[in-house]
Amino acid sequence: MQFGIVVFPGSNCDRDAAYVAQELLRQPTRLIWHEETDIQDVDVVILPGGFSYGDYLRCGALARMSPVMAAVMEHAHQGKWVLGVCNGFQILTEAGLLPGALVRNRDLHFICDQVPVRVERTDLPWTQTYTAGRVLTLPIAHGEGCYYADAVTLATLERQNQVVFRYCTPAGRLELAGNPNGSLNHIAGICNEQGTVLGMMPHPERAADALLGNADGLGLFQGLLQAAALV
Amino acid sequence: MRLSFHVRVYITLRPSVLDPAGAAVTRNLQHLGYGVAEVRIGKYVEFTLEAMSETDATAQVEALCDQVLTNPVVETYRYDLLPAPVSAQS
């Protein structure tokens, strides 16, 4: 399974994602410079975290205009895998590949922490290695991670079961205390209708190597590999 | 003949979107004794634009605001379209 990790000026989680794909999963992996326009060799595109274009104007707004994004849109529209983490999630919403937007955290602070995140559905390749309702501990590091969508969009997301991860208390309850940034409906990650495009603020790639103390995020990548093996 | 315009764009969060920075500034101003309420913080962008006509300029401004300068999911905007100061013509 060929992984491709897009590198924008200001990306800073690209190497972490590449490490997971290449060293932990042992899959062919390449970094895709934002000026590239041919990514047809790639099965999974990862838009990594960071501060693309310095977050100028809005987070992800300028990255969305990069030459590579036309190819990423095409890749997504073909039903192929796209994972956007943190700044990558912001880029996916700016590009319209996922609904809603990510705005300033409720309490204005940049939050760098490890937080409980509940797995809301396990019928997706991304989450099939987890049990339903499992509470993962995943790192977050963002200033603009508060998920917002209008009431109609939120209702549609819920009805179509597109919420994949929610912030929660350590016991897995959806309470204010478990919501670090004020995200509506405690949303930490959503997918498109087909489940092929996933955007999430928490960083699974930073919680993938047990040597670093937490491998809760590795299952997400392993699930994808299992799905690919069945094709 | 191409016309020159000076454009001022005012971008604000939609009323339904929480503005925590505006709320913090509101509290601070109230703390200082000002009778201020409901501060909303936005962005101001200005630029010059060349267009074939005022209609063309309006279309361009709205297109670039919708595409780039704002995210319609969370923001709204209004703009002023002014004739650019006339420079010395040869």
Side-chain angles (χ1 to χ4, degrees):
Chain A
M1 192 171 212
Q2 175 73 47
F3 281 76
I5 294 126
V6 179
V7 184
F8 298 99
S11 294
N12 64 14
C13 298
D14 42 328
R15 305 267 163 180
D16 303 62
Y19 173 78
V20 172
Q22 191 151 22
E23 305 299 327
L24 299 180
L25 302 177
R26 299 278 166 196
Q27 297 300 306
T29 302
R30 73 179 183 96
L31 297 177
I32 303 168
W33 185 235
H34 67 112
E35 288 175 338
E36 288 188 39
T37 51
D38 183 357
I39 58 168
Q40 287 183 54
D41 59 310
V42 172
D43 300 308
V44 189
V45 170
I46 299 181
L47 302 181
F51 300 86
S52 57
Y53 297 88
D55 278 352
Y56 295 157
L57 195 61
R58 294 179 309 280
C59 303
L62 300 184
R64 200 253 292 192
M65 308 292 169
S66 287
V68 75
M69 283 307 292
V72 172
M73 303 282 279
E74 172 67 18
H75 178 93
H77 289 140
Q78 288 170 1
K80 297 181 183 173
W81 309 110
V82 180
L83 171 65
V85 173
C86 200
N87 190 221
F89 185 13
Q90 294 165 337
I91 295 168
L92 288 176
T93 59
E94 281 282 343
L97 284 173
L98 291 174
L102 293 140
V103 297
R104 187 80 81 89
N105 291 346
R106 175 189 56 210
D107 298 327
L108 293 169
H109 299 117
F110 186 97
I111 306 169
C112 185
D113 204 355
Q114 308 252 355
V115 299
V117 174
R118 196 172 79 183
V119 181
E120 296 295 288
R121 56 183 287 192
T122 55
D123 59 337
L124 295 171
W126 310 103
T127 52
Q128 61 176 339
T129 64
Y130 300 119
T131 49
R134 160 108 185 258
V135 178
L136 309 173
T137 299
L138 292 177
I140 56 170
H142 58 246
E144 283 90 359
C146 174
Y147 184 79
Y148 173 86
D150 62 51
V152 173
T153 306
L154 265 186
T156 306
L157 279 176
E158 296 289 355
R159 191 178 64 249
Q160 296 180 159
N161 211 13
Q162 286 173 253
V163 181
V164 183
F165 298 106
R166 283 186 222 267
Y167 302 109
C168 62
T169 66
R173 283 194 298 273
L174 301 181
E175 294 173 3
L176 190 63
N179 186 339
N181 55 25
S183 289
L184 295 181
N185 293 21
H186 303 260
I187 286 172
I190 56 172
C191 63
N192 62 349
E193 273 185 75
Q194 299 75 27
T196 49
V197 177
L198 173 67
M200 58 194 295
M201 290 311 294
H203 287 271
E205 82 287 1
R206 292 192 193 174
D209 189 337
L211 269 178
L212 299 176
N214 177 5
D216 278 6
L218 186 60
L220 185 143
F221 300 97
Q222 289 171 328
L224 203 55
L225 280 193
Q226 286 179 18
L230 296 176
V231 173
Chain B
M1 193 190 99
R2 291 184 76 78
L3 302 172
S4 253
F5 296 91
H6 187 78
V7 187
R8 300 169 176 163
V9 183
Y10 308 85
I11 303 165
T12 48
L13 285 172
R14 287 185 181 277
S16 56
V17 179
L18 186 71
D19 177 8
V25 171
T26 305
R27 285 193 297 275
N28 191 275
L29 290 173
Q30 289 172 346
H31 184 70
L32 290 172
Y34 292 104
V36 166
E38 297 181 40
V39 175
R40 304 284 289 175
I41 297 175
K43 289 177 200 161
Y44 172 70
V45 182
E46 61 180 2
F47 52 90
T48 58
L49 177 73
E50 287 209 343
M52 299 309 290
S53 65
E54 189 167 334
T55 313
D56 177 31
T58 301
Q60 287 196 51
V61 169
E62 293 184 0
L64 70 88
C65 282
D66 290 334
Q67 274 174 29
V68 182
L69 291 188
T70 74
N71 179 346
V73 175
V74 287
E75 293 168 327
T76 55
Y77 65 91
R78 64 183 176 81
Y79 60 90
D80 300 328
L81 188 65
L82 310 164
V86 180
S87 56
Q89 305 248 327
S90 56

